[in-house]
Amino acid sequence: MKALRTRLRRLTRRYRRLSAAVLAGLAVWAALSVLRPPGPPTSTVLVTQRALVGGVTVAASDVAERQLPLSALPADYLRTADQAVGRPLTVSLPAGAVLLPTSVVTRDALAAPGSAVLPVTLTATAAGLIEVGDRVDLLGTDSEAETGLLASAVRVVAVLDGSKSSSPLSPVQGSGPVVLVELRPAALPRVAAAAARGPLGFGLR
């Protein structure tokens, strides 16, 4: 009986030491958790799943929502897929790129202050040649029925998918691609009138 009591005391001391060690470890872990600085703040952003070419219409499978640190993000960015899906891209993007409000065609934030955006159809030779960001001279027939320079060094804001004729931004389809060009207000009536007559010629800068 005495031997049994001695064994029980030893077991009690052993488990007491083990419990104390476990409790001490938990206390250290809790203290470190409190002292550890919190992770950087993040935000939900929309990024590309694959490399995309400017002008293509964004599909749901092309983009994904991700959590990224705010410190690595620009001042403004798209957060949800519905802000981009179904809209043409205004610029080519690599895989993993954060989409900005200006990355897709909308009725806002396309033109620089004081400018306007106009959709025009170019001649067939522009297909596959004109890219977003190009500077081009627009050539066409003006109201005097004379063919000449309509506007110089205009910026191509977007190259739309010509097969999607349902786009509300697209003029009557012609033989070449439909592009959105950035124009000063003074040139807008002349270019719009010429574009209504047919595809415009162009010169690359």
Side-chain angles (χ1 to χ4, degrees):
M1 189 69 177
K2 183 178 179 181
L4 178 60
R5 285 197 299 269
T6 301
R7 185 177 302 172
L8 288 174
R9 282 197 297 271
R10 288 175 180 171
L11 288 174
T12 301
R13 284 196 296 269
R14 184 181 304 170
Y15 284 110
R16 188 179 298 162
R17 294 192 194 98
L18 178 61
S19 299
V22 170
L23 291 175
L26 289 174
V28 171
W29 176 82
L32 291 176
S33 297
V34 171
L35 295 174
R36 184 185 301 120
T42 63
S43 177
T44 301
V45 299
L46 195 65
V47 301
T48 54
Q49 293 270 60
R50 59 184 64 84
L52 299 175
V53 178
V56 301
T57 299
V58 179
S61 60
D62 293 331
V63 293
E65 296 173 12
R66 296 280 186 269
Q67 287 289 326
L68 294 179
L70 282 173
S71 59
L73 296 176
D76 199 9
Y77 47 87
L78 300 187
R79 293 169 172 80
T80 59
D82 59 1
Q83 293 178 293
V85 172
R87 298 183 180 277
L89 278 179
T90 62
V91 63
S92 296
L93 295 172
V98 175
L99 277 84
L100 309 180
T102 53
S103 297
V104 292
V105 174
T106 65
R107 296 185 184 275
D108 302 315
L110 278 177
S115 298
V117 168
L118 180 72
V120 299
T121 303
L122 299 180
T123 57
T125 53
L129 183 61
I130 299 296
E131 297 180 351
V132 173
D134 284 347
R135 293 278 177 176
V136 298
D137 294 336
L138 295 179
L139 310 171
T141 304
D142 61 19
S143 58
E144 304 296 327
E146 295 183 359
T147 300
L149 179 65
L150 301 170
S152 61
V154 300
R155 182 173 67 93
V156 177
V157 175
V159 180
L160 304 182
D161 185 351
S163 64
K164 303 295 189 296
S165 59
S166 61
S167 170
L169 293 171
S170 301
V172 176
Q173 297 294 306
S175 57
V178 176
V179 300
L180 298 183
V181 292
E182 184 183 71
L183 296 168
R184 303 298 296 178
L188 190 61
R190 181 171 52 183
V191 175
R197 297 186 181 94
L200 301 182
F202 68 95
L204 285 170
R205 285 275 175 164

